[in-house]
């Protein structure tokens, strides 16, 4: 079997574009992969066009290690977010082909299941007015849908510092959410990597009474020493890793013991097998894995394959029950959350199919996610300008 070509399909929303790639073969099997780019979709599509000619066409879709190696190193330049995301979508699609050809779900090919279902946490649910009352009502809606975990960034447009008035208001939002969801629902606290270490520590202590399940990206991701400083001073588990795009770059993070939970994005770190390899290394450091997942249903399906065979897998992020729910129509067989969990799929490959006609109903947009624009949390066109 050989790859004859790829086709790309960009599905647009106001705050993100989702790039789907179909990999076609000479035996008629087609696989699909997906990633989400912020502000770099055209660059990704351009890279894939070149990579198709240089590396992908004519390759054996079963020879995943060889294809990934050539795409990563065969152009000499160091691979960053765009290249690793391009590798990821093609790699996912090849796993999909392999699973279909062998009649097995991908998790079976990666070692077999360790669980029948995967806990989910909701994100994208607080696209409402930024008031305690509105957040309380929205959080109630999350638990009423069966979720037993959710994530929130309550900090507005804070950057490095957060004055006392803004701090008090952020605390009031979290207090309202905790009141709505009760004591047993997990509450993940997101900082989006934008505070100084001292501010992150102060905020973590102010919010400790509400028992956050983790503190996510408390400081910008470029400075590991800053993360170590925070981790040494807080009692809340620290999570990070969504903006690390190469498995080898986690080495120093593990050595520092600054993170209790890593959050690789399957769509940015080179795909399914790269994530599974990273998870195995994390296991040797007693670190849990909770992948970043703000894409659509193909990316969710791919991440579920990793979850099903990974002993140290904690929980999976899910957006599309709340933000951009309509795009689930783009994918046939889209994974669904029932009573707070995804069931591990048994269908061959990834267990999903791209509906190209439905995808065409969501054309590419000039999507933006500007964390310093008022109202960014609403993820709407008016919030970005």
């Amino acid at each position: 079997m050989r790859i004859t070509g790829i086709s790309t399909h960009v599905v647009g929303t106001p705050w993100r574009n989702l790039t789907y790639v179909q990999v076609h073969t000479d035996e008629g099997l087609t696989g699909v992969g997906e990633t989400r780019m912020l502000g770099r979709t055209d660059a990704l599509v351009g890279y894939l066009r070149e990579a198709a000619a240089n590396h992908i066409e004519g390759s054996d879709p079963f020879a995943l290690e060889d294809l990934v190696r050539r795409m990563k190193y065969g152009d000499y330049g160091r691979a960053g977010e765009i290249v690793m995301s391009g590798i990821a979508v093609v790699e996912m699609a090849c796993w999909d082909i392999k699973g279909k050809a062998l009649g097995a779900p991908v998790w079976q090919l990666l070692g077999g299941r360790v669980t029948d279902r995967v806990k989910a946490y909701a994100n994208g649910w607080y696209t409402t007015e930024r008031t305690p009352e509105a957040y309380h009502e929205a959080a109630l809606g999350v638990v009423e849908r069966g979720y037993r975990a959710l994530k929130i960034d309550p900090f507005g447009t804070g950057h490095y510092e957060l004055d006392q008035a803004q701090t008090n208001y952020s605390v009031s939002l979290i207090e309202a959410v905790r009141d709505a969801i009760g004591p047993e629902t997990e509450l993940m606290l997101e900082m989006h990597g934008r505070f100084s270490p001292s501010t992150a520590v102060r905020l973590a202590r102010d919010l400790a009474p509400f028992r956050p399940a983790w503190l996510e990206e408390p400081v910008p991701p470029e400075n590991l020493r800053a993360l170590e400083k925070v981790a040494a001073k807080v009692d809340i588990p620290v999570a990070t890793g969504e903006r690390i795009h190469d498995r080898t770059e986690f080495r120093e993070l593990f050595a520092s013991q600054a993170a209790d939970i890593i959050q690789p994005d399957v769509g940015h770190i080179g795909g399914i097998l790269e994530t599974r390899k990273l998870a195995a290394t994390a296991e040797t450091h007693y670190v849990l894995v909770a992948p970043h997942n703000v894409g659509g249903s193909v990316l969710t399906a791919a991440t579920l394959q990793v979850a099903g065979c990974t002993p140290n897998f904690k929980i999976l992020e899910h957006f599309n029950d709340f933000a951009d729910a309509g795009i689930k129509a783009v994918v046939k067989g889209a994974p669904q959350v029932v009573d707070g969990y995804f069931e591990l799929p048994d269908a061959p490959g990834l267990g999903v199919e791209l509906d190209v006609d439905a995808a065409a109903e969501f054309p590419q947009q000039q999507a933006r996610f500007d964390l310093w624009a008022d109202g960014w949390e609403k993820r709407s066109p008016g919030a970005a300008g």
Side-chain angles (χ1 to χ4, degrees), residues 1-7 22-27 29 31 51-52 55-64 67 70-71 90-91 93-94 97:
M1 187 187 304
R2 293 290 164 177
I3 296 172
T4 56
I6 65 172
S7 55
Q22 291 179 306
V23 173
H24 307 280
T25 67
D26 58 4
E27 294 189 13
L29 286 175
H55 304 297
I56 302 169
E57 293 171 1
S59 292
D60 178 356
F62 274 41
L64 286 157
L67 179 56
R70 286 186 286 109
M71 290 181 71
V90 173
E91 193 259 13
C94 287
I97 291 167

Side-chain angles (χ1 to χ4, degrees), residues 32-111:
V32 63
E34 180 204 350
T35 192
R36 181 278 283 135
M37 300 296 292
L38 291 176
R40 297 163 188 168
T41 298
D42 289 340
L44 173 63
V45 172
Y47 164 70
L48 286 167
R49 185 170 54 250
E50 291 190 73
N54 294 335
H55 304 297
I56 302 169
E57 293 171 1
S59 292
D60 178 356
F62 274 41
L64 286 157
E65 291 275 17
D66 178 63
L67 179 56
V68 168
R69 178 184 59 83
R70 286 186 286 109
M71 290 181 71
K72 185 174 180 181
Y73 298 111
D75 297 320
Y76 185 69
R78 184 176 179 183
E81 181 183 26
I82 293 168
V83 170
M84 295 306 293
S85 300
I87 292 172
V89 290
V90 173
E91 193 259 13
M92 280 180 228
C94 287
W95 274 112
D96 193 25
I97 291 167
K98 192 170 188 176
K100 289 174 179 175
L102 298 175
V106 172
W107 56 259
Q108 190 71 273
L109 306 179
L110 291 171

Side-chain angles (χ1 to χ4, degrees), residues 220-355:
E222 297 86 1
N223 187 337
L224 185 56
R225 290 293 182 89
L227 186 67
E228 291 178 44
K229 185 176 180 180
V230 174
K233 294 182 177 182
V234 301
D235 294 326
I236 303 168
V238 172
T240 194
E242 70 180 68
R243 287 186 276 182
I244 301 177
H245 306 126
D246 192 320
R247 178 166 50 93
T248 60
E249 293 179 14
F250 278 88
R251 184 182 66 253
E252 292 183 22
L253 180 63
F254 290 140
S256 73
Q257 298 188 14
D260 303 283
I261 300 147
I262 58 166
Q263 301 172 294
D265 189 313
V266 177
H268 289 321
I269 201 165
I272 290 170
L273 188 55
E274 286 293 288
T275 307
R276 184 64 190 91
K277 290 177 180 178
L278 176 63
T281 304
E283 189 178 6
T284 69
H285 292 83
Y286 316 125
V287 171
L288 297 174
V289 181
H292 181 248
N293 178 46
V294 300
S297 296
V298 171
L299 188 56
T300 298
T303 309
L304 273 176
Q305 306 299 324
V306 177
C309 61
T310 300
N312 55 326
F313 197 97
K314 176 175 172 58
I315 197 168
L316 179 56
E317 184 172 19
H318 193 229
F319 259 82
N320 295 326
D321 276 344
F322 300 95
D324 309 324
I327 65 172
K328 285 197 288 187
V330 168
V331 177
K332 298 175 181 177
Q336 305 293 331
V337 176
V338 178
D339 295 329
Y341 288 82
F342 289 104
E343 294 292 329
L344 195 62
D346 289 317
L350 299 182
V352 293
E353 294 291 340
L354 180 68
D355 186 329

